[in-house]
Amino acid sequence: MRHAILPANSLANAGRGNTSTGTAVSVAKETVVPFAAFSHFTTGTTPVSVNHTGTSVSTAIAFNLPLGESLDVGLAAINRKMNDIHVPVGIRGGTYGTARLFQQSSNNTPLMLVAALIAIYVVLGVLYESYSQPLTILSTLPSAGIGALLALMATGTEFSPHRLSGYLAADRHRQEERNHDGRFCARGRT
């Protein structure tokens, strides 16, 4: 039987001996090692794919919350359980999807509140052409806030950043109406 001789692989042979000749089948007699000498065969199941988060292998664990419980309470319970079972240091737990968005938004809540107060101060300052009038109006927020929280508790409604922004807008509107009534009365007397 004659074999065709293919040109040597110049890239593989550069500076090294006994490397690939570029042929698909070796023509030299070599010792054959049985496949079973370095492997084994078992039947079983295996995942079709391996999930990654970034460059790390990951898995997702979904959970439901009882009615009336917030996501923050559920995440705190998961963190407690991970500490209780002494998860190895190489395993990290974290949130993904909606839970991650919740954590990011709750981390930004204080910044959002400060930005809302500054925006209200600027708008009221432009409206009343004064630096002190907005401070007078904003000083009513704590007492109005207590009333709003009592109303939320009485109706069994959960407090959220959306409700807070609505509360701030309603309080500003109430203060503007009161001050416009006062300006009208002051103009009417003169």
Side-chain angles (χ1 to χ4, degrees), residues 32-40:
V32 179
V33 177
F35 191 67
F38 58 88
S39 66
H40 69 278

Side-chain angles (χ1 to χ4, degrees), residues 131-175:
Y131 293 114
S132 62
Q133 187 65 25
L135 291 176
T136 304
I137 294 169
L138 290 174
S139 68
T140 63
L141 285 176
S143 60
I146 291 171
L149 287 175
L150 289 174
L152 288 174
M153 288 171 40
T155 59
T157 307
E158 187 177 332
F159 185 72
S160 71
H162 300 292
R163 287 190 178 85
L164 175 65
S165 61
Y167 154 72
L168 292 174
D171 186 62
R172 185 184 75 213
H173 179 70
R174 183 179 55 82
Q175 288 293 332

Side-chain angles (χ1 to χ4, degrees), residues 54-67:
T55 58
S56 303
V57 176
S58 66
T59 188
I61 300 172
F63 59 93
N64 292 323
L65 295 170
L67 288 176

Side-chain angles (χ1 to χ4, degrees), residues 13-186:
N13 288 327
R16 288 183 264 144
N18 208 12
T19 57
S20 171
T21 61
T23 61
V25 178
S26 175
V27 292
K29 185 175 179 180
E30 296 182 12
T31 305
V32 179
V33 177
F35 191 67
F38 58 88
S39 66
H40 69 278
F41 176 79
T42 60
T43 57
T45 60
T46 184
V48 176
S49 65
V50 178
N51 297 323
H52 288 82
T53 301
T55 58
S56 303
V57 176
S58 66
T59 188
I61 300 172
F63 59 93
N64 292 323
L65 295 170
L67 288 176
E69 292 294 330
S70 69
L71 185 58
D72 198 29
V73 171
L75 293 174
I78 290 171
N79 288 333
R80 273 194 314 275
K81 184 53 73 178
M82 287 183 70
N83 289 333
D84 291 347
I85 62 175
H86 305 290
V87 175
V89 177
I91 298 177
R92 295 187 321 264
T95 56
Y96 194 72
T98 308
R100 178 172 284 175
L101 291 174
F102 167 76
Q103 283 184 322
Q104 289 172 345
S105 68
S106 63
N107 291 342
N108 294 332
T109 301
L111 181 63
M112 183 188 75
L113 293 177
V114 170
L117 290 174
I118 290 171
I120 291 171
Y121 178 81
V122 169
V123 168
L124 291 175
V126 170
L127 180 67
Y128 293 113
E129 300 173 356
S130 168
Y131 293 114
S132 62
Q133 187 65 25
L135 291 176
T136 304
I137 294 169
L138 290 174
S139 68
T140 63
L141 285 176
S143 60
I146 291 171
L149 287 175
L150 289 174
L152 288 174
M153 288 171 40
T155 59
T157 307
E158 187 177 332
F159 185 72
S160 71
H162 300 292
R163 287 190 178 85
L164 175 65
S165 61
Y167 154 72
L168 292 174
D171 186 62
R172 185 184 75 213
H173 179 70
R174 183 179 55 82
Q175 288 293 332
E176 287 175 3
E177 289 297 320
R178 184 186 317 164
N179 288 328
H180 284 301
D181 291 344
R183 281 186 172 183
F184 178 75
C185 292

